Amino acid sequence: MDTVRIGIVGSKFAADFHCDSYSRNPHVRLAAVAAIDNLEPISRKWNIPATYQDYRQMFAREDLDLVSICIPNFLHHDAVIAASEAGIDVVCEKPLATTVADAREMIEVCRKNRTRLFYAEDWCFSPTMRRIDALIKEGAIGEILYIKAKEVHSGTHSPFARDKRTCGGGSLLHLGVHPVGYLLYLVGKGANPVVEVTGKITGGLEKNFVHRENSGEDFGMGMLRFENGTFGFVEGNYITLGGMDDKVEIYGTGGVIKADLTHSSSIDLYSPEGVSYTIEKLDHNKGWLKPAVDEYYNLGYVSELAYFVDCARLDQDPFYGVNGEAGAACLEIVHAMYESSDTGRTIYGRWM
Ligand SMILES: NC(=O)c1ccc[n+]([C@@H]2O[C@H](COP(=O)([O-])OP(=O)(O)OC[C@H]3O[C@@H](n4cnc5c(N)ncnc54)[C@H](O)[C@@H]3O)[C@@H](O)[C@H]2O)c1
């Protein structure tokens, strides 16, 4: 197939960067979008010919090859299953689901229907991470001993992510799932399971540091140990002012790699008057600034969605890290971190 016909479920933040990434791809036709609001603005911005209030109608009426699920976490399960039952390959935004049982059912239904399930962990496609992959392969830092990684910012834009019932957790799930996914991809590789997990979170509502209106935690950290002995430390929090901060440090037997995905633009701007936008979740765009050159490309979205389009087009399955299994393992690990925080105990298992 030369042209992949795409449907988008959702119409706001994530839907917009999916549309942006698809619109850069010569093999894509954005065919339809379904959501409960914001349909007119998104269809106009990205020139999408058909709009639907109900994604099931979109799946039934449109001839789609691939659909992007960009709606709140608690709706991923039903939307992925509906797409798969309609015979469509699915890209599911992170986290894969809100419960492990839902995630496992999504994998099973897609397997039964022979439709592909792509787990949208964009970190695996960031040009920075791709370069790190190549450096590690070349032997630049020897064997990996320890990785420290985080995604943190000052608070979510989405009302669904503030509510534990619609998010499935708080900042550790919603943001920390990125570093967990990256560690599984880089160290786990689908062969070296995580065997030990501990975690600590603020706990939601009045227990939170800052966001007492959020029922999920606003601060979370977790430690994990892989079967081969490698340690990981991950963070996901909403207490970090100054723009989204995504950082990775990798310590090996023969060297160290440090990377900054969000604050490392090659542009230095001084503007006392200020500008409208520089990087995600930076509220005061005045003074000395580092505007992202191409934020969606830097974060990996553009290459990620191009890869999923190629898989659908060329009839190929995704690599470990961005398949359903990796998405489910991320969820299990974050849930083990929650259990550890609740009980004060180390949780043992085999997650990959
Ligand atoms: N990979 C990333 O870095 C990244 C970044 C942001 C969001 N996300 C993920 O994308 C998903 C959406 O997040 P967002 O930030 O765009 O949220 P948002 O609050 O900005 O938008 C929610 C969207 O869901 C739609 N919606 C709500 N209920 C619906 C229903 N019943 N049927 C159809 N549509 C419905 C709304 O119309 C809206 O378009 C979440 O799973 C989130 O975790 C991923």
Side-chain angles (χ1 to χ4, degrees), residues 9-15 17 34-38 53 55 69-76 93-95 120 122 151 156-160 174 178 280 299 301 304:
V9 182
S11 58
K12 291 190 176 164
F13 191 86
F17 67 69
I36 53 167
D37 56 10
N38 207 43
Q53 297 271 348
Y55 60 75
I69 305 301
C70 304
I71 52 178
N73 305 346
F74 78 114
L75 299 170
H76 292 182
E93 261 304 340
K94 61 81 201 166
D122 51 279
E151 177 162 298
T156 174
H157 57 270
S158 174
F160 300 101
H174 208 60
H178 284 295
E280 188 179 334
L299 289 172
Y301 303 134
E304 167 194 77

Side-chain angles (χ1 to χ4, degrees), residues 30-48:
L30 279 172
V33 54
I36 53 167
D37 56 10
N38 207 43
L39 280 170
E40 202 278 323
I42 194 163
S43 59
R44 187 162 23 88
K45 181 173 179 187
W46 298 107
N47 209 10
I48 307 174

Side-chain angles (χ1 to χ4, degrees), residues 57-135:
Q57 271 185 16
M58 177 172 83
F59 299 158
R61 290 191 194 161
E62 300 286 330
D63 192 10
L64 302 173
D65 303 304
L66 184 64
V67 65
S68 271
I69 305 301
C70 304
I71 52 178
N73 305 346
F74 78 114
L75 299 170
H76 292 182
H77 168 267
D78 288 4
V80 165
I81 286 181
S84 174
E85 298 290 9
I88 309 167
D89 285 349
V90 197
V91 177
C92 184
E93 261 304 340
K94 61 81 201 166
L96 191 60
T98 49
T99 70
V100 172
D102 278 2
R104 290 285 163 209
E105 193 186 354
M106 290 153 73
I107 293 170
E108 186 50 30
V109 169
C110 290
R111 192 196 56 73
K112 184 192 79 192
N113 291 328
R114 296 175 189 276
T115 55
R116 292 185 185 82
L117 175 56
F118 303 112
Y119 174 59
E121 182 39 74
D122 51 279
W123 280 31
C124 298
F125 296 92
S126 134
T128 305
M129 302 315 200
R130 283 284 166 102
R131 183 71 182 112
I132 289 174
D133 278 353
L135 292 167

Side-chain angles (χ1 to χ4, degrees), residues 36 50 55 83 128 131 133 152 183 190 192 216 226 275 286 294 335:
I36 53 167
Y55 60 75
T128 305
R131 183 71 182 112
D133 278 353
V152 296
L183 263 66
N192 175 29
F226 288 87
V275 291
K286 276 184 181 174
D294 184 344
H335 279 220

